[in-house]
Amino acid sequence: MTPRTALGALHIGALMFGLTGVFGKLAAASPAIIVFGRAAFAVLALAFFARFARQSRWQTLEAVDWRRLLLSGLLLAGHWVSFFIAVKVAGVAIATLGFASFPAFTVILEGLIFRERIRANEILLVVLVSVGLVLVTPAFDLASGATTGLLWAVASGLLFALLSLTNRVSSGRIPPVQAALYQNVVVALCLLPMAAPQLSEVRAIDWLWISLLGVFCTGVAHSLFVASLAVIKARTAAVVFALEPVYGITVAWLLFDENPTLRMLLGGALIIVAIVVSSRLANGSSKKAVAAEAASH
């Protein structure tokens, strides 16, 4: 790849990640079915990429690696299920913006878990995300679908932050594609008991949306990120990754007529600015860490 084509591939990958909520809304199936199908198709796509575009040998895993992959797979399953519940309840825009709160959770969790001192710019990030979420919420009423959906989306963001930190711990040892493939196997196995009784009722058109979700929004999108990181700086990739909510909300607006209010747009802008600032100011961002984070979504 040249730097120009790699940057284009990064934007295509971010667009595919942004379409996650769109395909989830198009599929008239339960979140359990959607997540199981997404993981199953993602395993096939990632295995294909690993077989024909292998860039490095896969790591022989030790017991501690298997435990981390099992934990990260469980977190990924919870992250996806809560996100698709938010999509079903509140729509793509609110679900995407609620999930986008994850950088604030990452900052807080890094301080609590790794006992790292929170810097002034990170405090600003948390404030921006918090204000953004308040503006995105039409009214804090648990009887409202928008509020309930936003809470599910924020829970998804919290689980994603935990997952990202777990992936970063092991990103130095396990290649991102290998980790993503094993995590998706764990997700599929976790959701199989809940999804199995409903599989015969899923319509063919819904399998199409779910397969697109698994192949393109997971397998292909992650593969594009991994391939592009051979050329593009990690910090640039992180900023492009931050554009995912913009792509997702724009497509949802065009397809589902989800017209955001001015207040929601302002809140979304604050959250997206926070993500971009976080990406630009991140210290020690490595390509493996960025790829590991991309694999989580």
Side-chain angles (χ1 to χ4, degrees), residues 14 18 96-97 99-100 241-250 268 271-272 275:
T96 302
L97 291 174
F99 155 72
F241 184 65
L243 294 175
E244 173 199 336
V246 177
Y247 289 130
I249 293 170
T250 301
I271 293 172
I272 292 167
I275 299 173

Side-chain angles (χ1 to χ4, degrees), residues 48-63:
F48 179 86
F49 174 78
R51 172 65 180 82
F52 294 101
R54 180 175 296 181
Q55 297 177 341
S56 61
R57 289 179 175 272
W58 279 27
Q59 179 68 38
T60 301
L61 302 182
E62 300 176 357

Side-chain angles (χ1 to χ4, degrees), residues 161-232:
L162 287 168
L163 175 57
S164 297
L165 293 177
T166 302
N167 282 343
R168 288 176 191 177
V169 171
S170 57
S171 64
R173 268 187 53 82
I174 308 175
V177 174
Q178 182 182 5
L181 193 151
Y182 288 165
Q183 286 170 359
N184 277 275
V185 169
V186 173
V187 172
L189 292 176
C190 286
L191 273 296
L192 181 58
M194 289 177 280
Q198 309 172 49
L199 290 178
S200 60
E201 302 171 6
V202 181
R203 303 176 306 168
I205 187 64
D206 293 329
W207 280 123
L208 172 63
W209 303 131
I210 293 171
S211 66
L212 292 175
L213 180 60
V215 173
F216 289 100
C217 298
T218 307
V220 174
H222 176 56
S223 300
L224 286 173
F225 263 78
V226 171
S228 301
L229 284 171
V231 180
I232 295 293

Side-chain angles (χ1 to χ4, degrees), residues 71-195:
L71 173 60
S72 59
L74 293 173
L75 289 171
L76 180 60
H79 156 57
W80 279 351
V81 169
S82 54
F83 177 76
F84 287 118
I85 291 175
V87 169
K88 297 293 185 182
V89 173
V92 177
I94 288 179
T96 302
L97 291 174
F99 155 72
S101 63
F102 76 85
F105 286 118
T106 302
V107 167
I108 295 170
L109 291 171
E110 281 180 336
L112 293 175
I113 297 173
F114 300 113
R115 300 190 181 281
E116 296 180 358
R117 186 173 64 86
I118 299 178
R119 300 182 296 273
N121 62 286
E122 294 174 331
I123 294 174
L124 176 61
L125 183 152
V126 174
V127 171
L128 287 175
V129 169
S130 300
V131 174
L133 289 174
V134 170
L135 292 174
V136 166
T137 310
F140 193 79
D141 180 6
L142 293 178
S144 165
T147 302
T148 304
L150 182 65
L151 291 175
W152 277 108
V154 171
S156 177
L158 172 60
L159 290 170
F160 182 82
L162 287 168
L163 175 57
S164 297
L165 293 177
T166 302
N167 282 343
R168 288 176 191 177
V169 171
S170 57
S171 64
R173 268 187 53 82
I174 308 175
V177 174
Q178 182 182 5
L181 193 151
Y182 288 165
Q183 286 170 359
N184 277 275
V185 169
V186 173
V187 172
L189 292 176
C190 286
L191 273 296
L192 181 58
M194 289 177 280

